[in-house]
Amino acid sequence: MLRAATIAFTWVALFGCQPTSSMLPATDPPPGAGDAADLASAPTQSDGGTDSSTDLGGGVKGGGPDLTPNQKAVAEAMTSIWENDTPILAYAYAENINDGRGYTSGRAGFCTGTGDAIQVIDCYDKLRSSANGNVMAKYMPALTTINNKYNSTGQDQGDTSLLDAAGNWIKDWGASYSTTTTKADFKKCQDQISDLLYYTPAMQAATAVGLKTALARAALYDMWINQGDGALVTKTNSALGVKGMIGVGNAVTEDEWLQKFIELRRDLLAGDSTWKTSVDRVAGYEKARRRADWDLAKPVDSAVKAAQCWPGGGYLDSGYSSFVINPDGTSAATTTTASCQ
């Protein structure tokens, strides 16, 4: 288990740092978060590390096992489609999408204004110095200033002027992954911070609720990347009258729980001025649910629109490209006609 954070990073409580997110004040770090300085040596779940417990309220806690490597690869490919319009994890991606969160970068949309990009760079600094090819090291003073200012005042989350004065963030981020000598370290830090902030808490919450299927766990992981915490897990439990775990004193099946969770997330996205253009991402999980692909053992076809799953809801077409993701995580573009079946 990773030890408690020693750096006062900025944290986003409800809305994660993504192209479809809106800006909210930061609060305390999510459960299980550790010091990025330790990540080079600390085990992650994918390395067989030990889970800490996530508190979901009411004394409900849990830590759980991973998805299998193939299931995790499928889950990550699905989320990557919704995040970067490709099932291939976009480690080199970086741009300012002008969402008030600074530069959005990498496989999980780490942002310079919300406390996750700084953790990637902090981790990277521990593995490689500027003298040894780390072109991102020069941004750490600016990231720290941005972070501290937001923590103390709640202002300038999206300001990139200090970063721009230090160099070309977009170019340097991309080069850090595309350069042979630095690629492995830069990738490792993105993977570890993504696991730390999003994957691990999602798996812990799934275990706490009693979700055993790969599909349900993948849906929670995508929500954590997009929304940033387990508020929808708690809301789903409340809507279904679940106390503790499903199936333990609760007449609720995993299928029923996941259906309600997807519907609540659909409504959350559709009701947000920014997120309303990304409702199709939850339709991807609804399609897999209707196909009963619980173990993600069938090819996942992302050709689906929310309007097809829930006709009459007025849901916008998100414009995502469509892919088939194979059970081993490999993928290819698909020309399949979009449907929710």
Side-chain angles (χ1 to χ4, degrees):
M1 182 172 65
L2 300 175
R3 66 184 175 86
T6 58
I7 298 176
F9 292 122
T10 302
W11 298 87
V12 174
L14 177 58
F15 298 110
C17 175
Q18 303 306 327
T20 54
S21 298
S22 58
M23 185 172 65
L24 285 185
T27 71
D28 295 332
D35 186 356
D38 293 335
L39 290 177
S41 59
T44 63
Q45 280 199 320
S46 57
D47 295 326
T50 302
D51 290 344
S52 57
S53 292
T54 297
D55 191 341
L56 298 180
V60 179
K61 293 189 177 184
D66 274 341
L67 298 171
T68 68
N70 281 352
Q71 289 168 342
K72 186 179 181 185
V74 172
E76 291 181 324
M78 292 174 73
T79 289
S80 186
I81 293 172
W82 321 130
E83 291 298 318
N84 292 305
D85 206 36
T86 171
I88 308 301
L89 299 182
Y91 291 97
Y93 162 78
E95 69 172 314
N96 189 340
I97 62 174
N98 297 309
D99 64 347
R101 296 173 181 270
Y103 288 113
T104 299
S105 311
R107 56 161 291 177
F110 305 108
C111 287
T112 57
T114 61
D116 49 3
I118 191 175
Q119 294 190 68
V120 174
I121 304 308
D122 186 65
C123 169
Y124 189 43
D125 285 349
K126 300 300 187 296
L127 299 180
R128 185 175 291 272
S129 68
S130 57
N132 198 25
N134 178 356
V135 297
M136 300 304 295
K138 61 180 175 285
Y139 297 104
M140 196 61 182
L143 288 169
T144 301
T145 298
I146 292 168
N147 185 73
N148 291 343
K149 185 172 184 178
Y150 185 77
N151 278 340
S152 62
T153 69
Q155 297 177 353
D156 294 333
Q157 190 175 12
D159 183 19
T160 65
S161 59
L162 293 176
L163 297 167
D164 297 337
N168 187 325
W169 174 276
I170 294 174
K171 179 181 178 181
D172 288 340
W173 184 284
S176 297
Y177 183 72
S178 61
T179 301
T180 302
T181 55
T182 61
K183 179 176 182 177
D185 287 343
F186 198 57
K187 176 181 181 296
K188 179 178 182 178
C189 285
Q190 289 193 49
D191 288 342
Q192 290 184 331
I193 297 300
S194 181
D195 276 0
L196 177 69
L197 300 184
Y198 309 120
Y199 177 72
T200 297
M203 295 305 102
Q204 293 169 352
T207 298
V209 175
L211 301 175
K212 299 179 180 179
T213 68
L215 176 58
R217 286 173 173 262
L220 257 64
Y221 169 69
D222 183 68
M223 181 273 292
W224 232 279
I225 285 277
N226 189 201
Q227 270 72 61
D229 74 356
L232 277 176
V233 174
T234 303
K235 189 173 182 179
T236 302
N237 282 349
S238 178
L240 294 173
V242 172
K243 297 180 180 179
M245 300 174 67
I246 59 174
V248 181
N250 298 285
V252 176
T253 67
E254 185 155 343
D255 187 12
E256 291 169 334
W257 193 96
L258 181 59
Q259 181 179 1
K260 176 57 68 174
F261 171 80
I262 290 172
E263 290 171 352
L264 289 173
R265 189 172 175 214
R266 173 203 65 195
D267 295 344
L268 174 65
L269 297 179
D272 184 271
S273 60
T274 302
W275 279 342
K276 65 184 180 181
T277 58
S278 64
V279 183
D280 288 345
R281 78 186 290 161
V282 294
Y285 299 94
E286 176 64 11
K287 180 175 182 176
R289 187 191 71 82
R290 294 185 185 187
R291 289 185 168 189
D293 189 10
W294 296 108
D295 294 329
L296 299 179
K298 306 172 186 177
V300 174
D301 190 339
S302 74
V304 58
K305 305 297 180 185
Q308 295 169 327
C309 296
W310 305 285
Y315 303 113
L316 300 178
D317 187 333
S318 303
Y320 296 123
S321 300
S322 298
F323 299 88
V324 170
I325 306 169
N326 299 313
D328 63 356
T330 60
S331 59
T334 179
T335 57
T336 302
T337 301
S339 76
C340 200
Q341 303 298 329

